PDB file of all heavy atoms in Angstrom:
ATOM      1  N   MET A   1       0.837  -1.200   0.000  1.00  0.00           N
ATOM      2  CA  MET A   1       0.000   0.000   0.000  1.00  0.00           C
ATOM      3  C   MET A   1       0.876   1.257   0.000  1.00  0.00           C
ATOM      4  O   MET A   1       1.832   1.315   0.746  1.00  0.00           O
ATOM      5  CB  MET A   1      -0.890   0.010   1.237  1.00  0.00           C
ATOM      6  CG  MET A   1      -2.319   0.003   0.862  1.00  0.00           C
ATOM      7  SD  MET A   1      -3.525  -0.264   2.134  1.00  0.00           S
ATOM      8  CE  MET A   1      -3.060   0.653   3.536  1.00  0.00           C
ATOM      9  N   ASN A  38     -14.163   6.313 -13.565  1.00  0.00           N
ATOM     10  CA  ASN A  38     -14.192   6.026 -14.999  1.00  0.00           C
ATOM     11  C   ASN A  38     -12.793   6.146 -15.606  1.00  0.00           C
ATOM     12  O   ASN A  38     -11.874   6.651 -14.969  1.00  0.00           O
ATOM     13  CB  ASN A  38     -15.126   7.000 -15.709  1.00  0.00           C
ATOM     14  CG  ASN A  38     -16.575   6.682 -15.424  1.00  0.00           C
ATOM     15  OD1 ASN A  38     -16.984   5.524 -15.422  1.00  0.00           O
ATOM     16  ND2 ASN A  38     -17.346   7.723 -15.142  1.00  0.00           N
ATOM     17  N   LYS A 103      -2.527   0.480 -10.126  1.00  0.00           N
ATOM     18  CA  LYS A 103      -1.188   0.396  -9.532  1.00  0.00           C
ATOM     19  C   LYS A 103      -1.247  -0.152  -8.101  1.00  0.00           C
ATOM     20  O   LYS A 103      -0.223  -0.412  -7.487  1.00  0.00           O
ATOM     21  CB  LYS A 103      -0.520   1.779  -9.526  1.00  0.00           C
ATOM     22  CG  LYS A 103      -0.175   2.287 -10.913  1.00  0.00           C
ATOM     23  CD  LYS A 103       0.832   3.432 -10.818  1.00  0.00           C
ATOM     24  CE  LYS A 103       1.037   4.088 -12.165  1.00  0.00           C
ATOM     25  NZ  LYS A 103       0.018   5.124 -12.435  1.00  0.00           N
ATOM     26  N   ILE A 105      -3.374  -0.235  -4.053  1.00  0.00           N
ATOM     27  CA  ILE A 105      -4.228   0.483  -3.104  1.00  0.00           C
ATOM     28  C   ILE A 105      -3.433   1.675  -2.573  1.00  0.00           C
ATOM     29  O   ILE A 105      -2.279   1.539  -2.178  1.00  0.00           O
ATOM     30  CB  ILE A 105      -4.619  -0.428  -1.919  1.00  0.00           C
ATOM     31  CG1 ILE A 105      -5.319  -1.705  -2.419  1.00  0.00           C
ATOM     32  CG2 ILE A 105      -5.486   0.332  -0.915  1.00  0.00           C
ATOM     33  CD1 ILE A 105      -6.713  -1.500  -2.926  1.00  0.00           C
ATOM     34  N   GLY A 131     -44.599  -7.253 -12.739  1.00  0.00           N
ATOM     35  CA  GLY A 131     -44.547  -7.961 -14.012  1.00  0.00           C
ATOM     36  C   GLY A 131     -43.401  -8.939 -14.079  1.00  0.00           C
ATOM     37  O   GLY A 131     -42.793  -9.273 -13.063  1.00  0.00           O
ATOM     38  N   ARG A 133     -39.593 -10.253 -15.600  1.00  0.00           N
ATOM     39  CA  ARG A 133     -38.279  -9.594 -15.582  1.00  0.00           C
ATOM     40  C   ARG A 133     -37.481  -9.959 -16.836  1.00  0.00           C
ATOM     41  O   ARG A 133     -36.449 -10.608 -16.759  1.00  0.00           O
ATOM     42  CB  ARG A 133     -37.518  -9.979 -14.302  1.00  0.00           C
ATOM     43  CG  ARG A 133     -38.203  -9.473 -13.037  1.00  0.00           C
ATOM     44  CD  ARG A 133     -37.572  -9.983 -11.766  1.00  0.00           C
ATOM     45  NE  ARG A 133     -37.566 -11.431 -11.675  1.00  0.00           N
ATOM     46  CZ  ARG A 133     -38.633 -12.181 -11.444  1.00  0.00           C
ATOM     47  NH1 ARG A 133     -39.809 -11.611 -11.261  1.00  0.00           N
ATOM     48  NH2 ARG A 133     -38.538 -13.486 -11.412  1.00  0.00           N
ATOM     49  N   SER A 135     -35.383  -9.286 -20.602  1.00  0.00           N
ATOM     50  CA  SER A 135     -34.405  -8.313 -21.068  1.00  0.00           C
ATOM     51  C   SER A 135     -35.167  -7.196 -21.777  1.00  0.00           C
ATOM     52  O   SER A 135     -36.321  -7.374 -22.193  1.00  0.00           O
ATOM     53  CB  SER A 135     -33.393  -8.965 -22.009  1.00  0.00           C
ATOM     54  OG  SER A 135     -34.041  -9.498 -23.133  1.00  0.00           O
ATOM     55  N   TYR A 138     -34.207  -0.917 -19.358  1.00  0.00           N
ATOM     56  CA  TYR A 138     -32.989  -0.173 -19.061  1.00  0.00           C
ATOM     57  C   TYR A 138     -33.334   1.152 -18.399  1.00  0.00           C
ATOM     58  O   TYR A 138     -34.368   1.733 -18.706  1.00  0.00           O
ATOM     59  CB  TYR A 138     -32.205   0.134 -20.348  1.00  0.00           C
ATOM     60  CG  TYR A 138     -31.725  -1.096 -21.050  1.00  0.00           C
ATOM     61  CD1 TYR A 138     -32.441  -1.650 -22.103  1.00  0.00           C
ATOM     62  CD2 TYR A 138     -30.559  -1.727 -20.637  1.00  0.00           C
ATOM     63  CE1 TYR A 138     -32.006  -2.799 -22.737  1.00  0.00           C
ATOM     64  CE2 TYR A 138     -30.112  -2.870 -21.260  1.00  0.00           C
ATOM     65  CZ  TYR A 138     -30.840  -3.406 -22.303  1.00  0.00           C
ATOM     66  OH  TYR A 138     -30.407  -4.545 -22.913  1.00  0.00           O
ATOM     67  N   VAL A 142     -28.412   4.428 -18.774  1.00  0.00           N
ATOM     68  CA  VAL A 142     -27.693   3.274 -19.327  1.00  0.00           C
ATOM     69  C   VAL A 142     -27.922   3.226 -20.835  1.00  0.00           C
ATOM     70  O   VAL A 142     -26.981   3.025 -21.613  1.00  0.00           O
ATOM     71  CB  VAL A 142     -28.157   1.959 -18.655  1.00  0.00           C
ATOM     72  CG1 VAL A 142     -27.597   0.750 -19.399  1.00  0.00           C
ATOM     73  CG2 VAL A 142     -27.707   1.920 -17.198  1.00  0.00           C
ATOM     74  N   ALA A 145     -25.744   5.740 -22.499  1.00  0.00           N
ATOM     75  CA  ALA A 145     -24.351   5.292 -22.603  1.00  0.00           C
ATOM     76  C   ALA A 145     -24.219   4.249 -23.707  1.00  0.00           C
ATOM     77  O   ALA A 145     -23.284   4.305 -24.517  1.00  0.00           O
ATOM     78  CB  ALA A 145     -23.889   4.712 -21.265  1.00  0.00           C
ATOM     79  N   ASN A 151     -22.070   2.442 -29.005  1.00  0.00           N
ATOM     80  CA  ASN A 151     -22.638   2.110 -30.319  1.00  0.00           C
ATOM     81  C   ASN A 151     -23.520   0.868 -30.270  1.00  0.00           C
ATOM     82  O   ASN A 151     -23.496   0.026 -31.159  1.00  0.00           O
ATOM     83  CB  ASN A 151     -21.497   1.921 -31.346  1.00  0.00           C
ATOM     84  CG  ASN A 151     -22.025   1.870 -32.776  1.00  0.00           C
ATOM     85  OD1 ASN A 151     -23.075   2.441 -33.076  1.00  0.00           O
ATOM     86  ND2 ASN A 151     -21.310   1.180 -33.655  1.00  0.00           N
ATOM     87  N   MET A 153     -27.469  -0.576 -29.793  1.00  0.00           N
ATOM     88  CA  MET A 153     -28.876  -0.187 -29.854  1.00  0.00           C
ATOM     89  C   MET A 153     -29.680  -1.093 -28.916  1.00  0.00           C
ATOM     90  O   MET A 153     -29.777  -2.297 -29.141  1.00  0.00           O
ATOM     91  CB  MET A 153     -29.346  -0.317 -31.303  1.00  0.00           C
ATOM     92  CG  MET A 153     -30.645   0.357 -31.593  1.00  0.00           C
ATOM     93  SD  MET A 153     -30.550   2.166 -31.407  1.00  0.00           S
ATOM     94  CE  MET A 153     -32.236   2.573 -31.851  1.00  0.00           C
ATOM     95  N   GLU A 177     -32.370   7.521 -34.106  1.00  0.00           N
ATOM     96  CA  GLU A 177     -31.702   6.284 -34.530  1.00  0.00           C
ATOM     97  C   GLU A 177     -32.687   5.272 -35.107  1.00  0.00           C
ATOM     98  O   GLU A 177     -32.394   4.093 -35.225  1.00  0.00           O
ATOM     99  CB  GLU A 177     -30.912   5.675 -33.372  1.00  0.00           C
ATOM    100  CG  GLU A 177     -29.731   6.520 -32.913  1.00  0.00           C
ATOM    101  CD  GLU A 177     -28.731   6.857 -34.022  1.00  0.00           C
ATOM    102  OE1 GLU A 177     -28.683   6.116 -35.029  1.00  0.00           O
ATOM    103  OE2 GLU A 177     -28.029   7.875 -33.890  1.00  0.00           O
ATOM    104  N   GLU A 219     -44.739  -7.592 -19.626  1.00  0.00           N
ATOM    105  CA  GLU A 219     -44.882  -8.953 -20.137  1.00  0.00           C
ATOM    106  C   GLU A 219     -43.665  -9.361 -20.941  1.00  0.00           C
ATOM    107  O   GLU A 219     -43.006  -8.512 -21.564  1.00  0.00           O
ATOM    108  CB  GLU A 219     -46.108  -9.043 -21.062  1.00  0.00           C
ATOM    109  CG  GLU A 219     -47.428  -9.222 -20.347  1.00  0.00           C
ATOM    110  CD  GLU A 219     -47.608 -10.592 -19.716  1.00  0.00           C
ATOM    111  OE1 GLU A 219     -46.871 -11.537 -20.074  1.00  0.00           O
ATOM    112  OE2 GLU A 219     -48.478 -10.710 -18.838  1.00  0.00           O
ATOM    113  N   GLU A 222     -38.843 -13.815 -21.962  1.00  0.00           N
ATOM    114  CA  GLU A 222     -37.426 -13.722 -22.328  1.00  0.00           C
ATOM    115  C   GLU A 222     -37.084 -12.269 -22.641  1.00  0.00           C
ATOM    116  O   GLU A 222     -36.554 -11.565 -21.812  1.00  0.00           O
ATOM    117  CB  GLU A 222     -37.152 -14.643 -23.505  1.00  0.00           C
ATOM    118  CG  GLU A 222     -37.502 -16.095 -23.152  1.00  0.00           C
ATOM    119  CD  GLU A 222     -36.829 -17.099 -24.031  1.00  0.00           C
ATOM    120  OE1 GLU A 222     -35.615 -17.280 -23.868  1.00  0.00           O
ATOM    121  OE2 GLU A 222     -37.499 -17.700 -24.893  1.00  0.00           O
ATOM    122  N   ARG A 223     -37.447 -11.798 -23.860  1.00  0.00           N
ATOM    123  CA  ARG A 223     -37.332 -10.372 -24.163  1.00  0.00           C
ATOM    124  C   ARG A 223     -38.698  -9.750 -23.908  1.00  0.00           C
ATOM    125  O   ARG A 223     -39.732 -10.400 -24.093  1.00  0.00           O
ATOM    126  CB  ARG A 223     -36.921 -10.182 -25.631  1.00  0.00           C
ATOM    127  CG  ARG A 223     -36.846  -8.739 -26.117  1.00  0.00           C
ATOM    128  CD  ARG A 223     -35.560  -8.052 -25.749  1.00  0.00           C
ATOM    129  NE  ARG A 223     -35.666  -6.599 -25.992  1.00  0.00           N
ATOM    130  CZ  ARG A 223     -34.628  -5.777 -26.045  1.00  0.00           C
ATOM    131  NH1 ARG A 223     -33.402  -6.232 -25.891  1.00  0.00           N
ATOM    132  NH2 ARG A 223     -34.800  -4.482 -26.226  1.00  0.00           N
TER     133      ARG A 223
ATOM    134  N   THR B 278     -42.928 -16.441 -13.573  1.00  0.00           N
ATOM    135  CA  THR B 278     -42.238 -15.946 -12.372  1.00  0.00           C
ATOM    136  C   THR B 278     -42.387 -14.435 -12.216  1.00  0.00           C
ATOM    137  O   THR B 278     -41.497 -13.767 -11.708  1.00  0.00           O
ATOM    138  CB  THR B 278     -40.743 -16.299 -12.426  1.00  0.00           C
ATOM    139  OG1 THR B 278     -40.214 -15.753 -13.626  1.00  0.00           O
ATOM    140  CG2 THR B 278     -40.515 -17.788 -12.399  1.00  0.00           C
ATOM    141  N   ARG B 279     -43.538 -13.903 -12.642  1.00  0.00           N
ATOM    142  CA  ARG B 279     -43.741 -12.464 -12.486  1.00  0.00           C
ATOM    143  C   ARG B 279     -43.859 -12.104 -11.004  1.00  0.00           C
ATOM    144  O   ARG B 279     -44.197 -12.937 -10.172  1.00  0.00           O
ATOM    145  CB  ARG B 279     -44.993 -12.015 -13.244  1.00  0.00           C
ATOM    146  CG  ARG B 279     -46.305 -12.423 -12.568  1.00  0.00           C
ATOM    147  CD  ARG B 279     -47.514 -11.998 -13.395  1.00  0.00           C
ATOM    148  NE  ARG B 279     -47.446 -12.531 -14.744  1.00  0.00           N
ATOM    149  CZ  ARG B 279     -47.473 -11.760 -15.826  1.00  0.00           C
ATOM    150  NH1 ARG B 279     -47.585 -10.457 -15.726  1.00  0.00           N
ATOM    151  NH2 ARG B 279     -47.410 -12.313 -17.003  1.00  0.00           N
ATOM    152  N   THR B 280     -43.606 -10.847 -10.704  1.00  0.00           N
ATOM    153  CA  THR B 280     -43.958 -10.348  -9.385  1.00  0.00           C
ATOM    154  C   THR B 280     -45.142  -9.400  -9.579  1.00  0.00           C
ATOM    155  O   THR B 280     -45.265  -8.744 -10.607  1.00  0.00           O
ATOM    156  CB  THR B 280     -42.789  -9.602  -8.711  1.00  0.00           C
ATOM    157  OG1 THR B 280     -42.368  -8.539  -9.550  1.00  0.00           O
ATOM    158  CG2 THR B 280     -41.620 -10.526  -8.477  1.00  0.00           C
ATOM    159  N   HIS B 393      -3.842  -4.935  -2.405  1.00  0.00           N
ATOM    160  CA  HIS B 393      -2.681  -4.311  -3.032  1.00  0.00           C
ATOM    161  C   HIS B 393      -1.770  -5.370  -3.666  1.00  0.00           C
ATOM    162  O   HIS B 393      -1.345  -5.241  -4.820  1.00  0.00           O
ATOM    163  CB  HIS B 393      -1.910  -3.502  -1.982  1.00  0.00           C
ATOM    164  CG  HIS B 393      -0.794  -2.686  -2.536  1.00  0.00           C
ATOM    165  ND1 HIS B 393      -1.017  -1.514  -3.242  1.00  0.00           N
ATOM    166  CD2 HIS B 393       0.545  -2.881  -2.533  1.00  0.00           C
ATOM    167  CE1 HIS B 393       0.147  -1.016  -3.626  1.00  0.00           C
ATOM    168  NE2 HIS B 393       1.110  -1.828  -3.216  1.00  0.00           N
ATOM    169  N   LYS B 397      -0.780  -5.924  -7.677  1.00  0.00           N
ATOM    170  CA  LYS B 397       0.612  -5.912  -8.138  1.00  0.00           C
ATOM    171  C   LYS B 397       0.887  -7.119  -9.047  1.00  0.00           C
ATOM    172  O   LYS B 397       1.682  -7.036  -9.977  1.00  0.00           O
ATOM    173  CB  LYS B 397       1.570  -5.919  -6.935  1.00  0.00           C
ATOM    174  CG  LYS B 397       1.645  -4.576  -6.234  1.00  0.00           C
ATOM    175  CD  LYS B 397       2.424  -3.575  -7.095  1.00  0.00           C
ATOM    176  CE  LYS B 397       2.234  -2.156  -6.602  1.00  0.00           C
ATOM    177  NZ  LYS B 397       2.523  -1.158  -7.632  1.00  0.00           N
ATOM    178  N   ARG B 408     -19.639  -1.190  -8.969  1.00  0.00           N
ATOM    179  CA  ARG B 408     -19.304  -0.228  -7.921  1.00  0.00           C
ATOM    180  C   ARG B 408     -20.038  -0.504  -6.630  1.00  0.00           C
ATOM    181  O   ARG B 408     -19.531  -0.218  -5.553  1.00  0.00           O
ATOM    182  CB  ARG B 408     -19.678   1.162  -8.404  1.00  0.00           C
ATOM    183  CG  ARG B 408     -18.930   1.538  -9.639  1.00  0.00           C
ATOM    184  CD  ARG B 408     -19.639   2.658 -10.334  1.00  0.00           C
ATOM    185  NE  ARG B 408     -18.822   3.178 -11.412  1.00  0.00           N
ATOM    186  CZ  ARG B 408     -19.070   4.310 -12.031  1.00  0.00           C
ATOM    187  NH1 ARG B 408     -20.123   5.032 -11.672  1.00  0.00           N
ATOM    188  NH2 ARG B 408     -18.306   4.723 -13.000  1.00  0.00           N
ATOM    189  N   GLY B 447     -26.812  -0.691 -13.148  1.00  0.00           N
ATOM    190  CA  GLY B 447     -26.816   0.601 -13.832  1.00  0.00           C
ATOM    191  C   GLY B 447     -25.438   1.029 -14.323  1.00  0.00           C
ATOM    192  O   GLY B 447     -25.297   1.569 -15.410  1.00  0.00           O
ATOM    193  N   GLN B 451     -22.739  -2.107 -18.932  1.00  0.00           N
ATOM    194  CA  GLN B 451     -22.005  -1.723 -20.132  1.00  0.00           C
ATOM    195  C   GLN B 451     -20.567  -2.244 -20.138  1.00  0.00           C
ATOM    196  O   GLN B 451     -20.030  -2.604 -21.181  1.00  0.00           O
ATOM    197  CB  GLN B 451     -22.016  -0.208 -20.278  1.00  0.00           C
ATOM    198  CG  GLN B 451     -21.693   0.523 -19.006  1.00  0.00           C
ATOM    199  CD  GLN B 451     -22.480   1.833 -18.866  1.00  0.00           C
ATOM    200  OE1 GLN B 451     -23.039   2.297 -19.754  1.00  0.00           O
ATOM    201  NE2 GLN B 451     -22.527   2.440 -17.734  1.00  0.00           N
ATOM    202  N   LYS B 471     -30.665 -14.086 -19.672  1.00  0.00           N
ATOM    203  CA  LYS B 471     -30.802 -15.243 -18.785  1.00  0.00           C
ATOM    204  C   LYS B 471     -31.502 -16.439 -19.413  1.00  0.00           C
ATOM    205  O   LYS B 471     -31.690 -17.445 -18.745  1.00  0.00           O
ATOM    206  CB  LYS B 471     -31.566 -14.819 -17.541  1.00  0.00           C
ATOM    207  CG  LYS B 471     -32.948 -14.247 -17.867  1.00  0.00           C
ATOM    208  CD  LYS B 471     -33.726 -13.931 -16.618  1.00  0.00           C
ATOM    209  CE  LYS B 471     -35.106 -13.408 -16.979  1.00  0.00           C
ATOM    210  NZ  LYS B 471     -35.905 -13.093 -15.824  1.00  0.00           N
ATOM    211  N   SER B 472     -31.932 -16.289 -20.657  1.00  0.00           N
ATOM    212  CA  SER B 472     -32.530 -17.441 -21.322  1.00  0.00           C
ATOM    213  C   SER B 472     -32.237 -17.323 -22.808  1.00  0.00           C
ATOM    214  O   SER B 472     -31.745 -16.286 -23.264  1.00  0.00           O
ATOM    215  CB  SER B 472     -34.043 -17.491 -21.071  1.00  0.00           C
ATOM    216  OG  SER B 472     -34.643 -16.317 -21.582  1.00  0.00           O
ATOM    217  N   LYS B 474     -33.647 -16.734 -25.627  1.00  0.00           N
ATOM    218  CA  LYS B 474     -34.062 -15.636 -26.507  1.00  0.00           C
ATOM    219  C   LYS B 474     -34.184 -14.306 -25.759  1.00  0.00           C
ATOM    220  O   LYS B 474     -34.914 -13.407 -26.192  1.00  0.00           O
ATOM    221  CB  LYS B 474     -35.381 -15.993 -27.189  1.00  0.00           C
ATOM    222  CG  LYS B 474     -35.168 -17.122 -28.185  1.00  0.00           C
ATOM    223  CD  LYS B 474     -36.449 -17.500 -28.902  1.00  0.00           C
ATOM    224  CE  LYS B 474     -36.182 -18.640 -29.857  1.00  0.00           C
ATOM    225  NZ  LYS B 474     -36.990 -19.828 -29.556  1.00  0.00           N
ATOM    226  N   ASN B 476     -32.394 -11.780 -25.651  1.00  0.00           N
ATOM    227  CA  ASN B 476     -31.320 -10.928 -26.180  1.00  0.00           C
ATOM    228  C   ASN B 476     -31.407  -9.539 -25.575  1.00  0.00           C
ATOM    229  O   ASN B 476     -32.481  -8.983 -25.397  1.00  0.00           O
ATOM    230  CB  ASN B 476     -31.439 -10.845 -27.703  1.00  0.00           C
ATOM    231  CG  ASN B 476     -31.308 -12.205 -28.325  1.00  0.00           C
ATOM    232  OD1 ASN B 476     -32.159 -13.065 -28.099  1.00  0.00           O
ATOM    233  ND2 ASN B 476     -30.242 -12.414 -29.060  1.00  0.00           N
ATOM    234  N   MET B 477     -30.230  -9.008 -25.288  1.00  0.00           N
ATOM    235  CA  MET B 477     -30.165  -7.717 -24.608  1.00  0.00           C
ATOM    236  C   MET B 477     -30.348  -6.551 -25.577  1.00  0.00           C
ATOM    237  O   MET B 477     -30.871  -5.511 -25.211  1.00  0.00           O
ATOM    238  CB  MET B 477     -28.803  -7.553 -23.929  1.00  0.00           C
ATOM    239  CG  MET B 477     -28.525  -8.526 -22.810  1.00  0.00           C
ATOM    240  SD  MET B 477     -29.340  -8.064 -21.272  1.00  0.00           S
ATOM    241  CE  MET B 477     -28.370  -6.657 -20.755  1.00  0.00           C
ATOM    242  N   THR B 479     -30.582  -4.992 -29.934  1.00  0.00           N
ATOM    243  CA  THR B 479     -30.914  -5.325 -31.315  1.00  0.00           C
ATOM    244  C   THR B 479     -29.670  -5.333 -32.199  1.00  0.00           C
ATOM    245  O   THR B 479     -29.702  -5.872 -33.293  1.00  0.00           O
ATOM    246  CB  THR B 479     -31.954  -4.349 -31.892  1.00  0.00           C
ATOM    247  OG1 THR B 479     -31.601  -3.034 -31.481  1.00  0.00           O
ATOM    248  CG2 THR B 479     -33.333  -4.648 -31.369  1.00  0.00           C
ATOM    249  N   GLY B 480     -28.605  -4.738 -31.736  1.00  0.00           N
ATOM    250  CA  GLY B 480     -27.374  -4.745 -32.535  1.00  0.00           C
ATOM    251  C   GLY B 480     -26.630  -3.445 -32.341  1.00  0.00           C
ATOM    252  O   GLY B 480     -26.790  -2.771 -31.335  1.00  0.00           O
ATOM    253  N   THR B 482     -25.762   0.471 -33.008  1.00  0.00           N
ATOM    254  CA  THR B 482     -26.559   1.645 -33.351  1.00  0.00           C
ATOM    255  C   THR B 482     -26.297   2.009 -34.813  1.00  0.00           C
ATOM    256  O   THR B 482     -27.214   2.198 -35.595  1.00  0.00           O
ATOM    257  CB  THR B 482     -26.174   2.844 -32.453  1.00  0.00           C
ATOM    258  OG1 THR B 482     -26.250   2.428 -31.104  1.00  0.00           O
ATOM    259  CG2 THR B 482     -27.109   4.011 -32.662  1.00  0.00           C
ATOM    260  N   ARG B 483     -25.032   2.090 -35.147  1.00  0.00           N
ATOM    261  CA  ARG B 483     -24.670   2.372 -36.535  1.00  0.00           C
ATOM    262  C   ARG B 483     -23.477   1.519 -36.932  1.00  0.00           C
ATOM    263  O   ARG B 483     -22.608   1.246 -36.105  1.00  0.00           O
ATOM    264  CB  ARG B 483     -24.288   3.846 -36.708  1.00  0.00           C
ATOM    265  CG  ARG B 483     -25.468   4.763 -36.447  1.00  0.00           C
ATOM    266  CD  ARG B 483     -25.153   6.176 -36.782  1.00  0.00           C
ATOM    267  NE  ARG B 483     -26.235   7.033 -36.317  1.00  0.00           N
ATOM    268  CZ  ARG B 483     -26.320   8.322 -36.585  1.00  0.00           C
ATOM    269  NH1 ARG B 483     -25.393   8.913 -37.319  1.00  0.00           N
ATOM    270  NH2 ARG B 483     -27.324   9.040 -36.136  1.00  0.00           N
TER     271      ARG B 483
END
Side-chain angles (χ1 to χ4, degrees):
Chain A
M1 241 170 42
N38 287 318
K103 292 197 188 85
I105 303 287
R133 295 173 301 287
S135 60
Y138 297 97
V142 170
N151 192 27
M153 194 65 179
E177 294 304 337
E219 278 289 343
E222 301 201 73
R223 176 82 192 195
Chain B
T278 57
R279 74 182 56 237
T280 57
H393 187 75
K397 285 287 166 201
R408 299 161 171 193
Q451 46 215 346
K471 58 176 182 180
S472 60
K474 291 181 181 120
N476 299 65
M477 295 281 287
T479 42
T482 307
R483 295 187 189 187

